[in-house]
Amino acid sequence: MTGKAPSLGLLCYRAMTRAVSPLVPLLLRRREARGKEDPARLCERLGVPTQDRPEGPLVWLHGASVGESLSILPLVSRLLAAVPGLHVLVTTGTVTSAKLMADRLPAGALHQYVPLDHPDYCARFLDHWRPDLAVWIESEFWPNLIFTASRKDIPLALVNARITARSAHNWRHAPAFIAGLLSRFSLIMAQDRASAARLRELGAGKVLEPGNLKHDAPPLSVGEAEHAHLAPMIGTRPVWVATNTHEGEESAAGEVHKALASSYPDLLTIIVPRHPARGPAIAAELAEMGLAVARRAAGDGIAPGTEIYLADTLGELGLFYSLSEIVFVGGTFDSTGGHNPFEAARFACALLAGPSDFNFAETFADFEGAGAMRRVGDAAALAAAIRRLLDDETERKRMGAAAKRLASEDSGATERTLEALLALLPPARKREAHHA
């Protein structure tokens, strides 16, 4: 791995990231002001650790944010069980994912923020942690981090790889750059056929197709006390959930509620924004539409007159899926490209989604094919679809059962990924020499 010469594009990128380093403190301060950085752990973004490296072998897994980090939890547990004395380092880049990892990582695993992609920060990070294996999850390519790990002779794997048609098109403008990055991975495992084909087109060699790790993830947790608290407030009211919503989708959900209110005067709409920090702005927008809004982050309860319950908190998706049989998957009415449908499906929710699905095109197609998901073009069509499901309990439960059945099937992706990663771990004597 150390012998691969960097492409001209990579050399230019490394020079550029060095040139802009004086701007990094300003960038971090701005992100901190917007709630996108943890002020107590800003040093980690510069490659300065806040924890000691544990003794023994260490596998490093990097996932960009919440979805990626949650999808690897079963893999983390299996790695720890498979290798005595192993530790697992998980890095992510968002405050939300860091909080979730703090609650859910098993013993033997720890979390750090991924360093910003500057040559010096990456080298500092890797010199401290000295991973025996580095594993990238899905699609976040940080060139300096990949190059530096490769130069230090750390085996690299890209698992559950996902690359959209849009991303592949953009990378085709820098073919030598992306081909050079992909060539540094000893193992590439795609989560679907389309991603595998695109990776091969971009210069990857052998690309395996073991399945999607998200298919094997465990159900989201539900706080029993919180469920017992909220369920009586809702009672027998009809409920639907708009989950992982982005700007513009909350107002669409408000329009849906207003369209259905005359037929269902006690309807409750639960909105779970993708970014909870937007809660106050979303609440103000919905209130301007004449809707009665209660905010969970503000400690509001669900009163008889509450029309919109804004679930602007972290780590409670399972709670809200457990309270409804109908879920609209956000990020599908804008250019986001959709979000993970498996989480809601495991709660036997009938799924609805808009037209934007490039992040999960094959997955959405599977749910549609199983009769578990319906696609809608706009807010009016969403209102019509929810009306049909509220009116037809048999169809609602049939769709929910189909969704749960599909999401609960063990795809074997975790086991196949585990076996491939274990094969990349250096033998014990080589690990000892590496850390000497």
PDB file of all heavy atoms in Angstrom, residues 83-111:
ATOM      1  N   VAL A  83     -12.508 -11.539  18.514  1.00  0.00           N
ATOM      2  CA  VAL A  83     -11.066 -11.382  18.738  1.00  0.00           C
ATOM      3  C   VAL A  83     -10.806 -11.041  20.206  1.00  0.00           C
ATOM      4  O   VAL A  83     -11.110  -9.923  20.643  1.00  0.00           O
ATOM      5  CB  VAL A  83     -10.481 -10.270  17.838  1.00  0.00           C
ATOM      6  CG1 VAL A  83      -8.973 -10.166  18.041  1.00  0.00           C
ATOM      7  CG2 VAL A  83     -10.809 -10.535  16.374  1.00  0.00           C
ATOM      8  N   PRO A  84     -10.271 -11.972  20.978  1.00  0.00           N
ATOM      9  CA  PRO A  84      -9.976 -11.681  22.396  1.00  0.00           C
ATOM     10  C   PRO A  84      -9.024 -10.492  22.529  1.00  0.00           C
ATOM     11  O   PRO A  84      -8.034 -10.387  21.810  1.00  0.00           O
ATOM     12  CB  PRO A  84      -9.307 -12.981  22.874  1.00  0.00           C
ATOM     13  CG  PRO A  84      -9.793 -14.037  21.934  1.00  0.00           C
ATOM     14  CD  PRO A  84      -9.933 -13.346  20.607  1.00  0.00           C
ATOM     15  N   GLY A  85      -9.367  -9.598  23.436  1.00  0.00           N
ATOM     16  CA  GLY A  85      -8.514  -8.449  23.694  1.00  0.00           C
ATOM     17  C   GLY A  85      -8.648  -7.316  22.695  1.00  0.00           C
ATOM     18  O   GLY A  85      -7.959  -6.303  22.822  1.00  0.00           O
ATOM     19  N   LEU A  86      -9.529  -7.469  21.707  1.00  0.00           N
ATOM     20  CA  LEU A  86      -9.701  -6.421  20.697  1.00  0.00           C
ATOM     21  C   LEU A  86     -10.437  -5.220  21.268  1.00  0.00           C
ATOM     22  O   LEU A  86     -11.323  -5.365  22.114  1.00  0.00           O
ATOM     23  CB  LEU A  86     -10.496  -6.975  19.503  1.00  0.00           C
ATOM     24  CG  LEU A  86     -10.773  -5.985  18.360  1.00  0.00           C
ATOM     25  CD1 LEU A  86      -9.500  -5.691  17.586  1.00  0.00           C
ATOM     26  CD2 LEU A  86     -11.844  -6.538  17.419  1.00  0.00           C
ATOM     27  N   HIS A  87     -10.069  -4.032  20.798  1.00  0.00           N
ATOM     28  CA  HIS A  87     -10.835  -2.821  21.051  1.00  0.00           C
ATOM     29  C   HIS A  87     -11.261  -2.237  19.708  1.00  0.00           C
ATOM     30  O   HIS A  87     -10.588  -2.433  18.689  1.00  0.00           O
ATOM     31  CB  HIS A  87     -10.012  -1.793  21.829  1.00  0.00           C
ATOM     32  CG  HIS A  87      -9.825  -2.152  23.269  1.00  0.00           C
ATOM     33  ND1 HIS A  87      -8.861  -3.053  23.690  1.00  0.00           N
ATOM     34  CD2 HIS A  87     -10.474  -1.752  24.391  1.00  0.00           C
ATOM     35  CE1 HIS A  87      -8.941  -3.187  25.011  1.00  0.00           C
ATOM     36  NE2 HIS A  87      -9.895  -2.404  25.455  1.00  0.00           N
ATOM     37  N   VAL A  88     -12.371  -1.532  19.715  1.00  0.00           N
ATOM     38  CA  VAL A  88     -12.897  -0.910  18.501  1.00  0.00           C
ATOM     39  C   VAL A  88     -13.048   0.585  18.742  1.00  0.00           C
ATOM     40  O   VAL A  88     -13.648   1.008  19.731  1.00  0.00           O
ATOM     41  CB  VAL A  88     -14.263  -1.516  18.095  1.00  0.00           C
ATOM     42  CG1 VAL A  88     -14.865  -0.733  16.931  1.00  0.00           C
ATOM     43  CG2 VAL A  88     -14.101  -2.978  17.715  1.00  0.00           C
ATOM     44  N   LEU A  89     -12.464   1.365  17.844  1.00  0.00           N
ATOM     45  CA  LEU A  89     -12.624   2.819  17.849  1.00  0.00           C
ATOM     46  C   LEU A  89     -13.618   3.192  16.760  1.00  0.00           C
ATOM     47  O   LEU A  89     -13.443   2.809  15.604  1.00  0.00           O
ATOM     48  CB  LEU A  89     -11.287   3.496  17.570  1.00  0.00           C
ATOM     49  CG  LEU A  89     -11.335   5.009  17.301  1.00  0.00           C
ATOM     50  CD1 LEU A  89     -11.742   5.775  18.558  1.00  0.00           C
ATOM     51  CD2 LEU A  89      -9.997   5.511  16.762  1.00  0.00           C
ATOM     52  N   VAL A  90     -14.668   3.909  17.122  1.00  0.00           N
ATOM     53  CA  VAL A  90     -15.653   4.395  16.159  1.00  0.00           C
ATOM     54  C   VAL A  90     -15.521   5.904  16.062  1.00  0.00           C
ATOM     55  O   VAL A  90     -15.549   6.603  17.083  1.00  0.00           O
ATOM     56  CB  VAL A  90     -17.088   4.020  16.577  1.00  0.00           C
ATOM     57  CG1 VAL A  90     -18.107   4.627  15.617  1.00  0.00           C
ATOM     58  CG2 VAL A  90     -17.253   2.501  16.620  1.00  0.00           C
ATOM     59  N   THR A  91     -15.356   6.413  14.847  1.00  0.00           N
ATOM     60  CA  THR A  91     -15.339   7.858  14.648  1.00  0.00           C
ATOM     61  C   THR A  91     -16.537   8.274  13.808  1.00  0.00           C
ATOM     62  O   THR A  91     -16.965   7.552  12.908  1.00  0.00           O
ATOM     63  CB  THR A  91     -14.054   8.337  13.940  1.00  0.00           C
ATOM     64  OG1 THR A  91     -13.938   7.691  12.668  1.00  0.00           O
ATOM     65  CG2 THR A  91     -12.829   8.042  14.777  1.00  0.00           C
ATOM     66  N   THR A  92     -17.074   9.431  14.143  1.00  0.00           N
ATOM     67  CA  THR A  92     -18.145  10.052  13.365  1.00  0.00           C
ATOM     68  C   THR A  92     -17.865  11.546  13.305  1.00  0.00           C
ATOM     69  O   THR A  92     -16.950  12.041  13.960  1.00  0.00           O
ATOM     70  CB  THR A  92     -19.532   9.802  13.990  1.00  0.00           C
ATOM     71  OG1 THR A  92     -19.565  10.401  15.303  1.00  0.00           O
ATOM     72  CG2 THR A  92     -19.840   8.311  14.120  1.00  0.00           C
ATOM     73  N   GLY A  93     -18.699  12.272  12.554  1.00  0.00           N
ATOM     74  CA  GLY A  93     -18.456  13.697  12.391  1.00  0.00           C
ATOM     75  C   GLY A  93     -19.555  14.605  12.893  1.00  0.00           C
ATOM     76  O   GLY A  93     -19.474  15.817  12.705  1.00  0.00           O
ATOM     77  N   THR A  94     -20.585  14.051  13.552  1.00  0.00           N
ATOM     78  CA  THR A  94     -21.696  14.883  13.994  1.00  0.00           C
ATOM     79  C   THR A  94     -21.925  14.748  15.492  1.00  0.00           C
ATOM     80  O   THR A  94     -21.667  13.685  16.085  1.00  0.00           O
ATOM     81  CB  THR A  94     -22.998  14.507  13.264  1.00  0.00           C
ATOM     82  OG1 THR A  94     -23.417  13.187  13.654  1.00  0.00           O
ATOM     83  CG2 THR A  94     -22.798  14.556  11.746  1.00  0.00           C
ATOM     84  N   VAL A  95     -22.450  15.808  16.091  1.00  0.00           N
ATOM     85  CA  VAL A  95     -22.761  15.808  17.519  1.00  0.00           C
ATOM     86  C   VAL A  95     -23.834  14.771  17.832  1.00  0.00           C
ATOM     87  O   VAL A  95     -23.762  14.060  18.844  1.00  0.00           O
ATOM     88  CB  VAL A  95     -23.203  17.212  17.955  1.00  0.00           C
ATOM     89  CG1 VAL A  95     -23.693  17.206  19.403  1.00  0.00           C
ATOM     90  CG2 VAL A  95     -22.061  18.217  17.796  1.00  0.00           C
ATOM     91  N   THR A  96     -24.825  14.671  16.952  1.00  0.00           N
ATOM     92  CA  THR A  96     -25.918  13.724  17.173  1.00  0.00           C
ATOM     93  C   THR A  96     -25.389  12.300  17.257  1.00  0.00           C
ATOM     94  O   THR A  96     -25.744  11.540  18.168  1.00  0.00           O
ATOM     95  CB  THR A  96     -26.945  13.819  16.031  1.00  0.00           C
ATOM     96  OG1 THR A  96     -27.410  15.163  15.931  1.00  0.00           O
ATOM     97  CG2 THR A  96     -28.120  12.905  16.284  1.00  0.00           C
ATOM     98  N   SER A  97     -24.539  11.925  16.308  1.00  0.00           N
ATOM     99  CA  SER A  97     -24.023  10.556  16.303  1.00  0.00           C
ATOM    100  C   SER A  97     -23.147  10.298  17.516  1.00  0.00           C
ATOM    101  O   SER A  97     -23.142   9.191  18.067  1.00  0.00           O
ATOM    102  CB  SER A  97     -23.254  10.292  15.010  1.00  0.00           C
ATOM    103  OG  SER A  97     -22.170  11.199  14.873  1.00  0.00           O
ATOM    104  N   ALA A  98     -22.390  11.307  17.959  1.00  0.00           N
ATOM    105  CA  ALA A  98     -21.536  11.135  19.129  1.00  0.00           C
ATOM    106  C   ALA A  98     -22.369  10.829  20.369  1.00  0.00           C
ATOM    107  O   ALA A  98     -22.007   9.971  21.186  1.00  0.00           O
ATOM    108  CB  ALA A  98     -20.695  12.389  19.355  1.00  0.00           C
ATOM    109  N   LYS A  99     -23.487  11.514  20.516  1.00  0.00           N
ATOM    110  CA  LYS A  99     -24.355  11.276  21.673  1.00  0.00           C
ATOM    111  C   LYS A  99     -24.956   9.877  21.626  1.00  0.00           C
ATOM    112  O   LYS A  99     -25.055   9.187  22.651  1.00  0.00           O
ATOM    113  CB  LYS A  99     -25.449  12.341  21.728  1.00  0.00           C
ATOM    114  CG  LYS A  99     -24.929  13.735  22.058  1.00  0.00           C
ATOM    115  CD  LYS A  99     -26.039  14.773  22.051  1.00  0.00           C
ATOM    116  CE  LYS A  99     -25.496  16.154  22.414  1.00  0.00           C
ATOM    117  NZ  LYS A  99     -26.549  17.195  22.353  1.00  0.00           N
ATOM    118  N   LEU A 100     -25.358   9.447  20.442  1.00  0.00           N
ATOM    119  CA  LEU A 100     -25.937   8.112  20.315  1.00  0.00           C
ATOM    120  C   LEU A 100     -24.890   7.041  20.588  1.00  0.00           C
ATOM    121  O   LEU A 100     -25.174   6.024  21.232  1.00  0.00           O
ATOM    122  CB  LEU A 100     -26.528   7.934  18.926  1.00  0.00           C
ATOM    123  CG  LEU A 100     -27.792   8.734  18.634  1.00  0.00           C
ATOM    124  CD1 LEU A 100     -28.225   8.534  17.195  1.00  0.00           C
ATOM    125  CD2 LEU A 100     -28.922   8.331  19.576  1.00  0.00           C
ATOM    126  N   MET A 101     -23.669   7.247  20.092  1.00  0.00           N
ATOM    127  CA  MET A 101     -22.615   6.266  20.329  1.00  0.00           C
ATOM    128  C   MET A 101     -22.262   6.181  21.811  1.00  0.00           C
ATOM    129  O   MET A 101     -21.944   5.104  22.320  1.00  0.00           O
ATOM    130  CB  MET A 101     -21.378   6.605  19.504  1.00  0.00           C
ATOM    131  CG  MET A 101     -21.543   6.390  18.006  1.00  0.00           C
ATOM    132  SD  MET A 101     -21.938   4.674  17.532  1.00  0.00           S
ATOM    133  CE  MET A 101     -23.741   4.767  17.364  1.00  0.00           C
ATOM    134  N   ALA A 102     -22.306   7.299  22.508  1.00  0.00           N
ATOM    135  CA  ALA A 102     -22.011   7.284  23.940  1.00  0.00           C
ATOM    136  C   ALA A 102     -22.987   6.377  24.683  1.00  0.00           C
ATOM    137  O   ALA A 102     -22.622   5.721  25.669  1.00  0.00           O
ATOM    138  CB  ALA A 102     -22.074   8.704  24.501  1.00  0.00           C
ATOM    139  N   ASP A 103     -24.216   6.317  24.208  1.00  0.00           N
ATOM    140  CA  ASP A 103     -25.247   5.503  24.858  1.00  0.00           C
ATOM    141  C   ASP A 103     -25.228   4.048  24.404  1.00  0.00           C
ATOM    142  O   ASP A 103     -25.608   3.156  25.173  1.00  0.00           O
ATOM    143  CB  ASP A 103     -26.640   6.079  24.569  1.00  0.00           C
ATOM    144  CG  ASP A 103     -26.859   7.439  25.221  1.00  0.00           C
ATOM    145  OD1 ASP A 103     -26.190   7.702  26.245  1.00  0.00           O
ATOM    146  OD2 ASP A 103     -27.687   8.211  24.717  1.00  0.00           O
ATOM    147  N   ARG A 104     -24.773   3.791  23.184  1.00  0.00           N
ATOM    148  CA  ARG A 104     -25.021   2.470  22.599  1.00  0.00           C
ATOM    149  C   ARG A 104     -23.793   1.631  22.299  1.00  0.00           C
ATOM    150  O   ARG A 104     -23.920   0.445  22.025  1.00  0.00           O
ATOM    151  CB  ARG A 104     -25.842   2.641  21.308  1.00  0.00           C
ATOM    152  CG  ARG A 104     -27.166   3.349  21.563  1.00  0.00           C
ATOM    153  CD  ARG A 104     -28.062   3.362  20.353  1.00  0.00           C
ATOM    154  NE  ARG A 104     -29.241   4.184  20.578  1.00  0.00           N
ATOM    155  CZ  ARG A 104     -30.253   4.282  19.739  1.00  0.00           C
ATOM    156  NH1 ARG A 104     -30.240   3.606  18.604  1.00  0.00           N
ATOM    157  NH2 ARG A 104     -31.289   5.050  20.023  1.00  0.00           N
ATOM    158  N   LEU A 105     -22.612   2.206  22.336  1.00  0.00           N
ATOM    159  CA  LEU A 105     -21.437   1.378  22.073  1.00  0.00           C
ATOM    160  C   LEU A 105     -21.225   0.379  23.206  1.00  0.00           C
ATOM    161  O   LEU A 105     -21.348   0.715  24.384  1.00  0.00           O
ATOM    162  CB  LEU A 105     -20.192   2.255  21.927  1.00  0.00           C
ATOM    163  CG  LEU A 105     -19.999   2.948  20.580  1.00  0.00           C
ATOM    164  CD1 LEU A 105     -18.766   3.849  20.631  1.00  0.00           C
ATOM    165  CD2 LEU A 105     -19.869   1.941  19.443  1.00  0.00           C
ATOM    166  N   PRO A 106     -20.889  -0.861  22.870  1.00  0.00           N
ATOM    167  CA  PRO A 106     -20.668  -1.865  23.908  1.00  0.00           C
ATOM    168  C   PRO A 106     -19.328  -1.672  24.601  1.00  0.00           C
ATOM    169  O   PRO A 106     -18.476  -0.905  24.141  1.00  0.00           O
ATOM    170  CB  PRO A 106     -20.688  -3.181  23.110  1.00  0.00           C
ATOM    171  CG  PRO A 106     -20.217  -2.798  21.747  1.00  0.00           C
ATOM    172  CD  PRO A 106     -20.755  -1.412  21.505  1.00  0.00           C
ATOM    173  N   ALA A 107     -19.140  -2.383  25.699  1.00  0.00           N
ATOM    174  CA  ALA A 107     -17.848  -2.354  26.391  1.00  0.00           C
ATOM    175  C   ALA A 107     -16.756  -2.833  25.441  1.00  0.00           C
ATOM    176  O   ALA A 107     -16.944  -3.792  24.694  1.00  0.00           O
ATOM    177  CB  ALA A 107     -17.903  -3.248  27.625  1.00  0.00           C
ATOM    178  N   GLY A 108     -15.628  -2.148  25.478  1.00  0.00           N
ATOM    179  CA  GLY A 108     -14.543  -2.483  24.571  1.00  0.00           C
ATOM    180  C   GLY A 108     -14.499  -1.593  23.347  1.00  0.00           C
ATOM    181  O   GLY A 108     -13.562  -1.674  22.552  1.00  0.00           O
ATOM    182  N   ALA A 109     -15.508  -0.738  23.194  1.00  0.00           N
ATOM    183  CA  ALA A 109     -15.552   0.202  22.070  1.00  0.00           C
ATOM    184  C   ALA A 109     -15.569   1.622  22.605  1.00  0.00           C
ATOM    185  O   ALA A 109     -16.107   1.885  23.680  1.00  0.00           O
ATOM    186  CB  ALA A 109     -16.784  -0.048  21.206  1.00  0.00           C
ATOM    187  N   LEU A 110     -14.985   2.537  21.866  1.00  0.00           N
ATOM    188  CA  LEU A 110     -14.953   3.938  22.266  1.00  0.00           C
ATOM    189  C   LEU A 110     -15.165   4.826  21.057  1.00  0.00           C
ATOM    190  O   LEU A 110     -15.039   4.378  19.910  1.00  0.00           O
ATOM    191  CB  LEU A 110     -13.630   4.274  22.954  1.00  0.00           C
ATOM    192  CG  LEU A 110     -12.323   4.049  22.182  1.00  0.00           C
ATOM    193  CD1 LEU A 110     -11.231   4.934  22.772  1.00  0.00           C
ATOM    194  CD2 LEU A 110     -11.873   2.589  22.283  1.00  0.00           C
ATOM    195  N   HIS A 111     -15.503   6.079  21.308  1.00  0.00           N
ATOM    196  CA  HIS A 111     -15.833   7.014  20.239  1.00  0.00           C
ATOM    197  C   HIS A 111     -14.913   8.225  20.276  1.00  0.00           C
ATOM    198  O   HIS A 111     -14.549   8.723  21.349  1.00  0.00           O
ATOM    199  CB  HIS A 111     -17.283   7.497  20.359  1.00  0.00           C
ATOM    200  CG  HIS A 111     -17.648   8.554  19.358  1.00  0.00           C
ATOM    201  ND1 HIS A 111     -17.478   9.912  19.612  1.00  0.00           N
ATOM    202  CD2 HIS A 111     -18.139   8.464  18.099  1.00  0.00           C
ATOM    203  CE1 HIS A 111     -17.857  10.597  18.547  1.00  0.00           C
ATOM    204  NE2 HIS A 111     -18.268   9.756  17.620  1.00  0.00           N
TER     205      HIS A 111
END
